[in-house]
Amino acid sequence: MEAIQTEAAVLARAVAGDRDAFDAFVRRWERPLGRFLLRVTGSPHAADDVRQATFVRVLERGSTFRGGGVASWLFRTAYNIAIDHRRRAKLRAAADVDSVVIADPSPCPSDDVACADERAFVRRALDRLDAEERALLWLRVAEGLPFAAVAESVGLPESTARLRFVRALGRLRREIGTRALTDVGGAR
Amino acid sequence: MTCDEFLSRAAEGLHPGDARSPADRDPDAAAHVAECASCRAALDDAREGLSFLGVLAHADAATDLPPADARAAWREATTARPSAARRVVRTCARAAAVLLAATGAFALAGGRVEAAEGRVAFVLAPAWAAAPEPPPPADGPQHADVVARIDNVAQRLDTAAQQVHTVAERIDTAAQRIDEVLRAQAASERAHTTTAERVDAARRDLLRGLDDAVARLERRRDDDAQTFADAIVSLRREVAALRFVQMSMADATAGAPSLPDPR
């Protein structure tokens, strides 16, 4: 609880014009936000842009923060910007995020090719899910947020977020299965 | 318990750190999953999906984008924010537009009232004609004059309202353009700064690499020179030793008695 209050206090000071507080805020959140946006946007460049826009938005509209969890408020802001970004990108048809291939950022040891292959496989399956499904899965599994915060981040009622989380996990499993069959068929 | 309720409750246990089964956690859920094949299948799929995702999440936990540019974000946010004066002008323009809209609504309402009065007058006209004529007012403005003046004032109000509305629109458009220009300028500055910083960093790396290479070459040159000097000294010693041996052999040959011929 104390940590939450501290984070809220740092945010309040940053919004009030404290440059050092803003720097501390950015250092605190740049990594989790970057990983989350990487999964939601499916592209490192888009994730970088959206993260930067999110920090700008924090300063511009931070006064609308009404207490509660900074994490869920921040992820929600980032998620909304990411969705807008995807919509604009689709309109421009400049970048099809489904076709963007993210290089494996955490390669296995050179002799463990199977491990890297499996992760790349799961990553591709994950990128085929909707942005909302990816956000739900990532915030819950990788960031470990409670369901209330996850739901707030993506703008859903908590019970709906829970249900969609389970369905998204099932869909991920089926995507992996389908892709595996497709790849095996293609290999033949 | 419906299937959706069950899955919603089961979501809590779908976490890499939670190894308990739904039956351990929730007896109601255990009863449901015992009789509902579709929920059982959905939960099995979800667990398998979770196991895949857990591996990926663990691996990607170390993934990082380049550090965020806090300075650029700060500059963009503070530059793009409209000035206080511009906000006041905008607020005034919006207030004027609202006022004019309200005035227009009143004028429309007045028109409706007049139309209604016209219909009433049409209906009452025969009665009106039959009624005795009231004596004209002794002095003061006539009814027609008053109506004409009201019309005149209403027209002037309309014209003024249109003008103010146009001005408000122009102010809004100008403010939007200023916003766009400022935003573009901030983005351009950010890109420029980022590029300049990258170039600087690359230049620093290059210079550091060159310095290292020069230092390595100098060390090698010094080492080689030393080795060469040592070799020369060693060779000179050998030459001196050989000369000494040569001279000794010459002396021995000159002073020694000749050996008798064996034949």
Side-chain angles (χ1 to χ4, degrees):
Chain A
M1 181 59 82
E2 192 180 342
I4 292 174
Q5 284 173 352
T6 309
E7 284 170 354
V10 171
L11 173 61
R13 289 213 317 271
V15 172
D18 184 338
R19 180 75 184 270
D20 292 338
F22 181 64
D23 285 346
F25 186 84
V26 170
R27 295 285 89 78
R28 160 71 182 86
W29 290 105
E30 60 183 350
R31 293 180 65 188
L33 209 53
R35 289 194 294 263
F36 169 66
L37 288 170
L38 196 58
R39 287 276 74 82
V40 172
T41 61
S43 148
H45 300 299
D48 198 13
D49 287 349
V50 173
R51 184 179 63 175
Q52 191 71 14
T54 304
F55 285 129
V56 174
R57 185 76 63 86
V58 163
L59 282 176
E60 287 173 345
R61 301 192 189 167
S63 54
T64 60
F65 176 66
R66 294 281 174 259
V70 172
S72 51
W73 179 78
L74 185 64
F75 281 122
R76 180 176 190 169
T77 304
Y79 177 72
N80 287 337
I81 295 175
I83 296 300
D84 283 347
H85 189 275
R86 276 172 65 93
R87 198 175 294 132
R88 279 200 301 272
K90 278 184 182 172
L91 283 176
R92 283 198 305 266
D96 180 3
V97 292
D98 288 339
S99 66
V100 173
V101 177
I102 304 173
D104 191 341
S106 53
C108 295
S110 56
D111 57 340
D112 198 353
V113 178
C115 166
D117 279 353
E118 182 186 335
R119 278 216 301 272
F121 203 66
V122 176
R123 195 170 284 119
R124 278 199 297 273
L126 187 63
D127 287 343
R128 294 178 73 81
L129 303 188
D130 298 337
E132 184 187 87
E133 291 173 320
R134 279 182 278 176
L136 283 169
L137 294 182
W138 195 257
L139 289 175
R140 176 67 182 154
V141 177
E143 296 299 332
L145 292 187
F147 268 113
V150 173
E152 194 183 339
S153 299
V154 294
L156 290 173
E158 187 178 335
S159 58
T160 310
R162 284 167 175 271
L163 187 59
R164 288 194 189 170
F165 170 76
V166 179
R167 301 245 189 254
L169 279 176
R171 202 179 148 208
L172 176 67
R173 163 71 189 85
R174 286 191 296 280
E175 284 290 341
I176 289 170
T178 310
R179 298 287 294 168
L181 288 174
T182 309
D183 286 2
V184 169
R188 281 174 194 167
Chain B
M1 183 188 288
T2 65
C3 290
D4 282 356
E5 282 172 354
F6 164 74
L7 290 176
S8 178
R9 281 165 68 163
E12 193 64 47
L14 288 168
H15 196 271
D18 193 342
R20 292 177 303 170
S21 69
D24 294 338
R25 195 178 311 102
D26 190 346
D28 290 343
H32 181 88
V33 83
E35 45 186 57
C36 179
S38 70
C39 281
R40 211 162 42 238
L43 210 52
D44 286 345
D45 274 357
R47 278 205 204 92
E48 279 191 56
L50 180 66
S51 66
F52 283 116
L53 186 62
V55 173
L56 183 65
H58 180 70
D60 281 4
T63 311
D64 280 325
L65 295 176
D69 194 343
R71 199 174 49 178
W74 179 270
R75 197 170 46 239
E76 187 175 342
T78 48
T79 311
R81 189 176 289 170
S83 67
R86 189 135 38 89
R87 286 203 299 273
V88 168
V89 170
R90 249 192 218 174
T91 309
C92 289
R94 281 180 189 143
V98 169
L99 193 63
L100 288 171
T103 312
F106 273 119
L108 283 174
R112 283 196 201 101
V113 170
E114 279 177 11
E117 278 176 357
R119 281 198 293 276
V120 170
F122 177 76
V123 170
L124 293 181
W128 184 266
E133 189 77 15
D139 216 69
Q142 296 297 309
H143 179 258
D145 289 340
V146 173
V147 169
R149 282 184 198 175
I150 289 174
D151 274 346
N152 187 19
V153 170
Q155 278 172 6
R156 283 162 61 191
L157 265 177
D158 275 346
T159 310
Q162 279 170 2
Q163 284 172 352
V164 173
H165 187 65
T166 310
V167 170
E169 278 182 340
R170 283 183 187 162
I171 288 172
D172 251 350
T173 310
Q176 280 170 5
R177 281 187 186 159
I178 289 170
D179 275 349
E180 284 168 9
V181 169
L182 287 175
R183 229 174 261 131
Q185 187 187 358
S188 161
E189 277 178 7
R190 183 183 147 205
H192 180 71
T193 308
T194 312
T195 309
E197 281 172 359
R198 282 181 184 161
V199 168
D200 261 345
R203 192 162 55 85
R204 277 197 299 275
D205 285 344
L206 193 61
L207 287 176
R208 207 177 298 125
L210 277 173
D211 283 343
D212 290 343
V214 168
R216 273 200 307 275
L217 281 173
E218 280 177 353
R219 273 199 303 277
R220 273 185 64 181
R221 188 191 59 190
D222 291 342
D223 291 344
D224 288 348
Q226 186 60 43
T227 310
F228 207 55
D230 291 343
I232 288 172
V233 168
S234 170
L235 279 172
R236 278 183 180 159
R237 277 182 192 148
E238 279 183 27
V239 168
L242 284 171
R243 276 186 184 149
F244 179 73
V245 170
Q246 186 185 22
M247 284 167 65
S248 303
M249 285 175 71
D251 289 343
T253 309
S258 54
L259 292 173
D261 191 349
R263 287 174 295 181

